[in-house]
Amino acid sequence: MNYYPRLKIKYNENIKLKLKQKFLYECIMQIPKLTKIVINQGINISDKNTLNHAMENISLISGQKAIFCQSKRDESGFQLRKGTPISVKVTLRKNRMYEFLDRLINIALPRVRDFQGVNPNSFDGKGNYNLGIREQIIFPEIKKDFKKNLGMNITFVTNAKQDKEAKYLLYLFGLPFKTLKQ
């Protein structure tokens, strides 16, 4: 029995057709798609418990084991040595990516206090979108008995050539962009 996430079915049946009609693609291979989602969390290197808690929390949120990212060189200004863990990250692809996106849009983002929508100007010029979250407590998987609340950065990587294509793709997935008042 094959399982397909809800957003993957939505992409294949509805979103591809809408993107093709709006941007007039000649070939179906030109239609942009979401290739991966990267969750990254910078951590304080002074406390070893923070490292373990960050790794556990990111693994719980994503459903996949996270890895440590280490510093590549010494930095005296930050009192940092080469090889010291400085962040935790996980890369989601295929079904896990769609499941995480579904949980982010429908469960986590509505739990943000005074949520107005996500910033529509956080595209990098190459079709990728960066979303910063200040509190990881918006995810229901996280227990509230931890000492320090850490934020995280979520990057949506698409194969779109322009930001407007990627923005429309994420809009069709249901990512609630903030409407700017003019």
Side-chain angles (χ1 to χ4, degrees):
M1 184 168 138
N2 291 335
Y3 167 73
Y4 294 103
R6 193 168 58 102
L7 286 182
K8 187 173 185 176
I9 295 169
K10 182 179 178 181
Y11 173 75
N12 289 327
E13 294 177 357
N14 299 333
I15 295 175
K16 274 186 175 180
L17 182 64
K18 289 180 182 178
L19 284 167
K20 188 171 183 176
Q21 289 173 351
K22 178 162 180 154
F23 295 107
L24 303 173
Y25 297 116
E26 296 175 8
C27 177
I28 60 168
M29 297 303 286
Q30 292 177 317
I31 299 173
K33 64 182 177 184
L34 193 61
T35 57
K36 64 184 174 180
I37 295 176
V38 180
I39 306 168
N40 187 16
Q41 186 174 47
I43 48 178
N44 186 359
I45 57 172
S46 63
D47 187 13
K48 294 291 181 188
N49 289 334
T50 306
L51 290 170
N52 295 331
H53 288 299
M55 186 141 179
E56 289 172 12
N57 289 338
I58 294 295
S59 296
L60 280 173
I61 289 169
S62 65
Q64 182 173 311
K65 189 174 189 305
I67 61 168
F68 291 120
C69 294
Q70 298 177 343
S71 62
K72 295 181 180 174
R73 59 186 166 273
D74 295 340
E75 282 291 330
S76 63
F78 296 110
Q79 298 177 354
L80 187 64
R81 295 282 172 223
K82 181 178 179 179
T84 306
I86 55 173
S87 69
V88 176
K89 81 169 187 175
V90 65
T91 302
L92 303 172
R93 299 176 198 272
K94 298 185 181 180
N95 288 348
R96 284 193 181 148
M97 169 185 67
Y98 289 110
E99 287 293 333
F100 174 77
L101 182 61
D102 195 12
R103 283 186 290 127
L104 177 72
I105 292 170
N106 296 315
I107 297 172
L109 287 179
R111 292 179 64 168
V112 175
R113 188 182 320 164
D114 299 331
F115 184 67
Q116 306 275 320
V118 296
N119 186 1
N121 300 324
S122 293
F123 287 92
D124 66 352
K126 298 176 185 173
N128 303 320
Y129 182 73
N130 292 305
L131 172 65
I133 295 178
R134 292 185 182 168
E135 298 177 342
Q136 66 186 5
I137 202 166
I138 63 171
F139 291 96
E141 296 91 358
I142 301 297
K143 297 174 187 160
K144 298 178 182 175
D145 60 347
F146 56 89
K147 296 176 183 176
K148 191 173 182 182
N149 195 1
L150 300 171
M152 65 182 66
N153 184 27
I154 301 172
T155 303
F156 301 95
V157 180
T158 67
N159 64 351
K161 302 292 183 206
Q162 299 175 348
D163 287 345
K164 64 180 180 179
E165 296 172 356
K167 184 176 182 180
Y168 191 62
L169 172 68
L170 293 175
Y171 169 76
L172 291 176
F173 273 123
L175 198 65
F177 288 105
K178 188 185 310 183
T179 55
L180 299 175
K181 296 179 183 178
Q182 297 185 12

